[in-house]
Amino acid sequence: MFKKLFVPQNFGNLKVLITATFFASVSIVCGKFLAFNVGDILRFSFENLPIILSGIAFGPLVGAFTGLIADVVGCLLRGYALNPILTLAAIFIGFAAGFIFNTTKKWNVYLRLLLIVFLCHAIGSVLIKSYGLSLWYSLPFGVTVIERSINYLIVAAAEFIFLILLIKNKSFYGQIIKMTGVKNEL
């Protein structure tokens, strides 16, 4: 089972790579250009939504690749210094979304998406990114986690709704099937 999850079969598919790059581009626009910043550590954005979608649609490795590209290129475009811990969080979010989606196929789709959004944000956005930001800005980790938890409860709720709408959209789902040739059980 695990061997099937980690075979990079989608990396040989040009349509998948182009779409993953598109998802990374949308993540950059949402996270770096359309975000609403509150201070140094709080940012309301939908930067993780395209990364999560990439993981769900194409698996954990392509999701991780999307997170990596989105973070690195986004930082370069905005002139931010690269923080490897924040990059690791973006990679985790894409990987976890694909891994959870592929290993919970027998679950109800709403529970699967709720688990994905919750774990991606709780671990990736709140814990890992808070750790990186607390080191970067010399802030207390506990305070950073609390502030970012409130931020990502709001973002996660909105992303959960958007994910349901996208996954249940027959046109969107049909395009994913065309690209991968694999019909995921929703």
Side-chain angles (χ1 to χ4, degrees):
M1 175 181 143
F2 287 109
K3 184 178 179 185
K4 182 179 176 187
L5 286 175
F6 299 111
V7 174
Q9 63 200 27
N10 287 329
F11 276 105
N13 185 330
L14 185 61
K15 289 180 185 178
V16 169
L17 290 178
I18 290 170
T19 306
T21 305
F22 172 75
F23 281 146
S25 301
V26 172
S27 176
I28 292 166
V29 170
C30 289
K32 306 295 191 260
F33 297 100
L34 298 178
F36 177 69
N37 293 319
V38 181
D40 288 332
I41 61 171
L42 294 180
R43 179 173 59 197
F44 291 93
S45 78
F46 294 112
E47 67 186 324
N48 293 327
L49 183 63
I51 297 170
I52 290 170
L53 276 171
S54 182
I56 288 170
F58 307 123
L61 294 178
V62 176
F65 168 77
T66 304
L68 172 71
I69 296 303
D71 190 69
V72 171
V73 174
C75 286
L76 294 173
L77 285 175
R78 291 296 287 188
Y80 297 159
L82 286 174
N83 183 331
I85 298 172
L86 299 182
T87 303
L88 178 66
I91 292 168
F92 171 81
I93 289 167
F95 182 86
F99 182 79
I100 293 167
F101 193 78
N102 285 337
T103 56
T104 58
K105 289 184 180 189
K106 294 184 181 184
W107 292 23
N108 175 294
V109 68
Y110 300 110
L111 290 175
R112 292 166 78 186
L113 294 176
L114 185 63
L115 181 64
I116 288 168
V117 170
F118 175 76
L119 287 180
C120 286
H121 284 296
I123 296 171
S125 299
V126 175
L127 292 178
I128 299 173
K129 286 185 181 180
S130 293
Y131 179 70
L133 291 169
S134 67
L135 289 177
W136 193 262
Y137 292 109
S138 300
L139 299 169
F141 177 68
V143 173
T144 307
V145 166
I146 291 169
E147 290 176 354
R148 289 179 58 79
S149 294
I150 296 166
N151 177 43
Y152 276 99
L153 278 174
I154 297 165
V155 172
E159 284 189 357
F160 175 67
I161 292 167
F162 284 134
L163 276 172
I164 288 173
L165 294 173
L166 285 171
I167 295 294
K168 288 297 189 176
N169 183 294
K170 291 179 182 178
S171 177
F172 177 82
Y173 183 63
Q175 290 302 315
I176 299 299
I177 292 169
K178 273 184 174 178
M179 281 185 276
T180 61
V182 177
K183 185 174 181 177
N184 287 331
E185 297 85 25
L186 295 176

